[in-house]
Amino acid sequence: KNLQMKIALCYSGQPRNIRDTLENHRKYLLPSTEYEIDKFAHFWFDESQAGENFNSEEASRGKWDAGIREWVLANGDFKKIKFEKYVY
């Protein structure tokens, strides 16, 4: 009997670089035939903050992307995902 190892990838926090992260994982990790990989996510996201800095004290960390929630839902292929407003 051929048992395939299972792996859970868990993404969390602010979805600052999720597009690049998922592309990297698709290229180098997810084409695996050795493992069964499920992806889960919990992101802090508040549509009312679109265009604002992730962190008011560190502008270099980037801005909230208004379309990121829809992009993640359409392209992320997550087994389960949750978005919540950022808690300061």
Side-chain angles (χ1 to χ4, degrees):
K1 187 175 180 179
N2 186 11
L3 295 176
Q4 193 173 33
M5 183 183 288
K6 293 184 176 189
I7 296 175
L9 285 179
C10 302
Y11 301 83
S12 66
Q14 297 171 333
R16 286 188 287 261
N17 298 308
I18 193 64
R19 286 183 175 104
D20 293 336
T21 300
L22 288 176
E23 183 59 34
N24 178 282
H25 289 176
R26 282 187 187 111
K27 185 175 181 180
Y28 297 107
L29 183 64
L30 297 176
S32 173
T33 56
E34 294 180 55
Y35 310 109
E36 180 181 333
I37 301 173
D38 291 322
K39 295 186 299 180
F40 301 86
H42 177 267
F43 293 120
W44 290 331
F45 182 74
D46 184 348
E47 302 227 10
S48 70
Q49 293 179 318
E52 294 182 21
N53 293 332
F54 282 123
N55 183 321
S56 61
E57 296 176 12
E58 295 182 48
S60 64
R61 293 184 120 181
K63 297 183 181 294
W64 289 100
D65 177 351
I68 196 66
R69 184 179 191 280
E70 288 74 22
W71 186 90
V72 167
L73 291 172
N75 299 286
D77 192 32
F78 290 100
K79 188 165 188 172
K80 189 168 184 180
I81 187 167
K82 183 171 186 171
F83 292 92
E84 290 188 300
K85 288 187 177 185
Y86 183 72
V87 178
Y88 295 93

